[in-house]
Amino acid sequence: MRKVFKALAKPFTETAGLARWMLVIGIVITAVFVICAIFAPLLAPYGFDQTSADGVQFVKREAPSGDHVFGTDRLLFDVLSRTIWGARTAIEVVVLSIVICVFVGVPMGLISGYYGGWLDRILLLIMDALFAFPSFLLAIVFAFLLTNKLPSGGFSGVLAVSLSLSVIYVPQYYRVVRNTTVSAKEATYVEAARAIGASDFVIMRRYLFGNVVQSVPVIGTLNAADAILTLAGLGFLGLGIQSTEAAEWGHDLNRALADAGSGIWWTGLYPGLAIVLLVTGLTLVGEGLNETINPTLRRRRLLPVVMTPREGDR
Amino acid sequence: MPTKPEATPTTTGTGPIIDVRDLAVHFGLRGSSLARLFGRDAGTVKAVDGVNLTLARGEVVGLVGESGSGKSTLGRALLGLAPATAGSIVFEGQDLATLSRRRLRDLRRHIQMVFQDPSAALNPAMTVEEAVGDALRVHGMRSAEERRVKVIDALERVGLSPVELFLEKYPRDLSGGQKQRVVMARAIITGPSVLVADEPISMLDMSVRAKILQLMLDLKQDLGLTYVYITHDLASAKYFCDRIAIMYLGRIVEIGATEEIFANPRHPYTKALLRAIPDPDPGRQLPRDLPRGEVPDAAAPPLGCAFHPRCKEATPTCGWESRDLRTLVEAHWTRRSPDEYGAERAVVGDIDHFDKPATSTTLGAQGAPAAREFLDRVRIEAPDDPIWGGIESITDDGSGVRVHFHEGIDPALRRAGGVEVACVLYPETSTEG
């Protein structure tokens, strides 16, 4: 227990100055959104697709007021509620897509780097092709292909978007893990593991895995920021999640586009602000973690030693 | 699955435990990407080339040689870590060279290895307990408690006590000597009968070396181990080994009892190695005539005896060839002024074809007399070079001369006195000693 706590506190105890502040601010911002996501039903005054309360229909495009702190949009939705519910969608999609990436990219990189040969060549070729493709275009194509293929239900939109985001990011995990595996497998301790009779699976699982996944958290958080933007972009184009399925900031921005010309600022401002804030928060966490974990950037905190004055030494 | 033999007394003898016959380990070289595209072979490195070695139960055999002599590869081949290209390694009636990977893995509990660099040989992400216990885990011991008991026992054996202090430590928290003890604990925990130690002390501090060697001797005594001790350090081999095999370019050139090798070295390479041992006595002046040059390229070893280009005692039939002539000519040129070099270069012409090993090669671009005159000049400068004995004849050929060398003899290991030597100086019929 204490070990886990110590490991979690490591980014704080081992950073100094700017890196530490980046990490702290980033975590605070991200935490706010995570809390919004988890407790959305409690925090949001209305449901994300609620258009009336107590039998009274909301007013269309109502300016911010007591009942609707952030106002309402042209579909009668409450903007504050949709912004809070949007955090839930965003976090769901990001977490799901990163989990998929890690579960696909890391084992694939390990196997490819460890065995090498033609398997490595083919996987590298595929991954490089995916990597070379304009990522947003790729996401659009996959979102388009997947939207109606998955079994319908409340979660299918989120799953479809998560999958199409994973396709973009898997090559990064694969590449990083594969390259570190290629160099790590030459280490003597891998040969030593073979000498004690370990099988290939055991070597990958117990000897290589722990030594090659260290940069994955950094890629994960940096990708998370990018994923928020891509998700919003897909929503803005009307792909992926529909507004009756879940609240999605990008989709709300699309609808707010028409309002902007007529001086209705509240429908666009709040979802946009949410996107900017969450992306900033995740980027700060990622950069902060990078400085902690990446030894070439890390600068350890040096504490000044204060000697207690000796007795009678005046 | 053969069971581990009972620990035998450490006295040498009672039959071989490992019998290596004509073992060869060749590695294919990767050529340029273009050559690979056309499926052209870039050649092979003969890391181990026809080695015969018998390990008696309970003895310590030293494999000694310079870097690139194939001693480490031979050691790794004994565990099946380097695949045998040809030959056999018989351990307990099973040929390791033909076993499946799965059976080989099972067998590795009986043959273990200690590595040169203890810092690299331990997984940085594993504690001492995990690292040592993993040897048991991969051989199917599931219970963590059972493993712990065994790990504690092994750590105590290698002198890491109090054990509790070390169990939770990571390799980075330990000193070099302690790490090497952990590596040894991992090696002995499966109850092996053979331990291959690949330069186990060369990365350690001087102060720790003797302790680790003593520990290895104690372990041998207690557990009835048989050691293969790989080193480039003859001094430690003298202290540690019952028998020593001197390796050069993938072959054993001399093998015999340690005392005999030290008292009466026969192969010129062994003599050179013995002369290279530093002597702390300032009053004693030993000739420091170490072998010239470097270990040759193992991908294209010299013809005949592989040691002949560096050998002081080389004979005309040691396998002289065009590449030796190139070395000689280039050494000559390093001592010429730029003008002289330019003139001689014009006489000699292109010498790049010397790189293709041949017992007969052409030299000269401006007629035979000039080429002969050039060779005479080289000879006057280095009259003692054994290569001159290797030249059978020089005939006129086109714009220069053709140099014919004697056909080389590739010497096999032969009995000579108390040892076996691979050198033409010790022919088959030798009955001395």
Side-chain angles (χ1 to χ4, degrees):
Chain A
M1 193 63 219
R2 210 160 137 205
K3 235 165 127 182
V4 173
F5 185 74
K6 219 171 153 185
L8 282 179
K10 200 179 132 197
F12 293 105
T13 50
E14 292 204 349
T15 43
L18 191 63
R20 180 179 241 189
W21 282 111
M22 275 162 56
L23 199 61
V24 170
I25 295 173
I27 287 178
V28 167
I29 296 175
T30 313
V32 167
F33 279 95
V34 171
I35 288 167
C36 283
I38 296 173
F39 299 108
L42 302 175
L43 291 173
Y46 309 102
F48 61 84
D49 54 354
Q50 202 174 342
T51 51
S52 58
D54 307 325
V56 182
Q57 206 158 45
F58 297 156
V59 183
K60 201 174 176 181
R61 290 179 183 137
E62 191 191 339
S65 66
D67 269 351
H68 301 286
V69 183
F70 285 0
T72 59
D73 66 6
R74 76 180 149 109
L75 290 178
L76 311 179
F77 297 145
D78 177 59
V79 174
L80 173 62
S81 302
R82 279 193 76 83
T83 309
I84 292 173
W85 281 98
R88 173 172 267 202
T89 312
I91 299 288
E92 270 173 5
V93 168
V94 165
V95 168
L96 198 60
S97 68
I98 286 176
V99 166
I100 295 171
C101 277
V102 169
F103 273 84
V104 173
V106 172
M108 225 150 84
L110 259 175
I111 290 171
S112 168
Y114 182 74
Y115 286 110
W118 60 267
L119 180 78
D120 186 39
R121 299 247 148 191
I122 291 172
L123 280 176
L124 261 182
L125 192 73
I126 295 171
M127 290 297 172
D128 280 352
L130 282 180
F131 207 49
F133 225 74
S135 60
F136 193 62
L137 195 61
L138 200 66
I140 290 173
V141 170
F142 271 86
F144 183 74
L145 289 174
L146 286 171
T147 310
N148 297 318
K149 295 288 184 296
L150 293 173
S152 57
F155 209 59
S156 75
V158 170
L159 190 63
V161 175
S162 306
L163 278 173
S164 37
L165 290 181
S166 308
V167 174
I168 310 175
Y169 300 121
V170 157
Q172 295 183 25
Y173 295 83
Y174 166 82
R175 258 289 185 187
V176 166
V177 171
R178 184 246 171 210
N179 288 356
T180 32
T181 306
V182 165
S183 59
K185 76 167 176 180
E186 302 296 333
T188 315
Y189 63 82
V190 174
E191 171 124 12
R194 220 170 274 141
I196 60 173
S199 63
D200 289 341
F201 178 75
V202 168
I203 289 174
M204 280 190 268
R205 165 76 194 76
R206 291 214 282 274
Y207 286 82
L208 289 174
F209 180 77
N211 292 303
V212 300
V213 293
Q214 279 159 6
S215 39
V216 166
V218 176
I219 315 175
T221 40
L222 290 177
N223 276 346
D226 201 53
I228 299 285
L229 283 178
T230 314
L231 169 69
L234 286 177
F236 190 81
L237 294 179
L239 289 160
I241 300 160
Q242 300 308 309
S243 50
T244 48
E245 232 177 285
E248 207 281 307
W249 297 329
H251 202 68
D252 289 0
L253 276 181
N254 182 18
R255 274 186 280 108
L257 204 60
D259 303 336
S262 47
I264 298 166
W265 51 270
W266 56 88
T267 54
L269 177 72
Y270 296 109
L273 213 56
I275 293 171
V276 170
L277 268 176
L278 184 53
V279 169
T280 312
L282 286 170
T283 309
L284 287 175
V285 173
E287 292 294 343
L289 271 184
N290 194 20
E291 298 223 2
T292 325
I293 292 173
N294 191 340
T296 54
L297 294 176
R298 176 167 55 198
R299 211 176 280 160
R300 280 176 190 273
R301 195 158 56 109
L302 293 176
L303 291 173
V305 177
V306 182
M307 305 291 270
T308 45
R310 268 188 297 173
E311 290 289 318
D313 197 40
R314 306 219 163 192
Chain B
M1 206 54 228
T3 48
K4 181 192 170 298
E6 287 306 306
T8 48
T10 51
T11 43
T12 320
T14 69
I17 186 162
I18 289 189
D19 194 16
V20 179
R21 285 281 141 240
D22 302 317
L23 179 70
V25 181
H26 295 182
F27 295 109
L29 281 181
R30 298 188 97 190
S32 66
S33 47
L34 198 69
R36 254 183 288 152
L37 204 63
F38 290 111
R40 229 180 318 156
D41 194 11
T44 51
V45 171
K46 295 174 178 173
V48 175
D49 192 20
V51 163
N52 291 299
L53 184 67
T54 308
L55 291 178
R57 212 173 279 276
E59 76 169 340
V60 181
V61 173
L63 297 179
V64 182
E66 288 171 280
S67 337
S69 61
K71 54 191 194 304
S72 290
T73 308
L74 176 55
R76 292 174 65 232
L78 291 180
L79 276 85
L81 290 173
T85 313
S88 64
I89 306 164
V90 178
F91 170 78
E92 308 261 340
Q94 298 184 78
D95 185 1
L96 300 190
T98 57
L99 279 185
S100 71
R101 282 163 60 88
R102 217 194 133 64
R103 304 253 293 141
L104 204 55
R105 282 212 310 273
D106 283 340
L107 210 76
R108 286 199 184 128
R109 77 168 85 179
H110 301 293
I111 310 178
Q112 276 292 331
M113 188 153 181
V114 174
F115 294 87
Q116 175 174 18
D117 184 357
S119 315
L122 291 169
N123 184 352
M126 274 187 180
T127 62
V128 168
E129 185 184 354
E130 286 168 340
V132 177
D134 209 49
L136 295 170
R137 198 168 161 195
V138 298
H139 288 297
M141 188 183 276
R142 300 215 175 278
S143 152
E145 280 77 49
E146 270 180 68
R147 286 205 302 267
R148 197 184 178 97
V149 172
K150 285 251 198 181
V151 167
I152 289 174
D153 179 54
L155 289 178
E156 268 168 2
R157 268 192 192 284
V158 299
L160 285 177
S161 56
V163 173
E164 295 71 37
L165 223 61
F166 292 97
L167 284 177
E168 296 302 314
K169 287 264 201 301
Y170 282 92
R172 58 173 177 268
D173 305 325
L174 303 176
S175 74
Q178 287 169 339
K179 272 183 268 195
Q180 195 61 297
R181 283 171 196 265
V182 173
V183 171
M184 294 222 289
R186 179 174 63 186
I188 61 164
I189 198 167
T190 53
S193 40
V194 178
L195 206 62
V196 177
D198 189 355
E199 310 215 17
I201 57 167
S202 67
M203 300 286 272
L204 302 177
D205 284 352
M206 276 297 171
S207 55
V208 202
R209 289 187 178 187
K211 286 187 201 157
I212 294 287
L213 280 186
Q214 188 56 49
L215 170 68
M216 288 177 72
L217 285 178
D218 292 346
L219 290 175
K220 170 169 139 35
Q221 195 82 32
D222 296 348
L223 306 170
L225 295 171
T226 303
Y227 282 124
V228 177
Y229 180 71
I230 300 167
T231 185
H232 58 257
D233 174 18
L234 265 173
S236 72
K238 183 181 185 181
Y239 167 77
F240 194 62
C241 299
D242 301 322
R243 279 200 301 151
I244 287 181
I246 309 283
M247 288 194 71
Y248 188 77
L249 228 58
R251 301 225 183 145
I252 292 178
V253 295
E254 182 164 1
I255 179 167
T258 307
E259 304 82 52
E260 180 66 14
I261 298 252
F262 273 84
N264 192 3
R266 285 178 172 79
H267 198 282
Y269 182 56
T270 314
K271 291 179 190 168
L273 282 183
L274 285 178
R275 277 197 298 271
I277 298 177
D279 188 352
D281 182 1
R284 260 192 29 212
Q285 283 291 318
L286 277 174
R288 284 269 175 266
D289 48 350
L290 304 177
R292 52 185 175 171
E294 296 289 325
V295 178
D297 182 4
L303 302 181
C305 169
F307 187 60
H308 81 263
R310 306 173 69 193
C311 185
K312 283 277 178 243
E313 304 173 37
T315 68
T317 54
C318 276
W320 297 101
E321 44 150 320
S322 50
R323 283 174 296 175
D324 301 322
L325 190 60
R326 175 168 197 156
T327 312
L328 182 75
V329 167
E330 284 178 346
H332 170 75
W333 279 341
T334 57
R335 291 185 285 270
R336 297 280 82 79
S337 70
D339 293 343
E340 283 173 316
Y341 165 70
E344 291 195 350
R345 183 83 217 209
V347 169
V348 174
D350 186 35
I351 59 167
D352 282 342
H353 60 282
F354 285 10
D355 285 342
K356 204 171 157 54
T359 52
S360 139
T361 189
T362 55
L363 173 145
Q366 297 181 344
R372 280 178 192 276
E373 198 188 319
F374 167 73
L375 283 177
D376 284 341
R377 265 204 304 279
V378 177
R379 184 164 194 161
I380 286 161
E381 192 188 64
D384 298 332
D385 197 298
I387 192 175
W388 301 114
I391 296 179
E392 192 172 27
S393 63
I394 301 173
T395 54
D396 293 0
D397 184 278
S399 62
V401 291
R402 176 167 283 274
V403 181
H404 301 272
F405 296 96
H406 287 288
E407 203 62 45
I409 296 171
D410 191 359
L413 262 185
R414 284 182 293 249
R415 192 139 276 292
V419 299
E420 285 178 77
V421 184
C423 182
V424 291
L425 296 173
Y426 299 91
E428 196 96 50
T429 50
S430 171
T431 48
E432 61 166 303

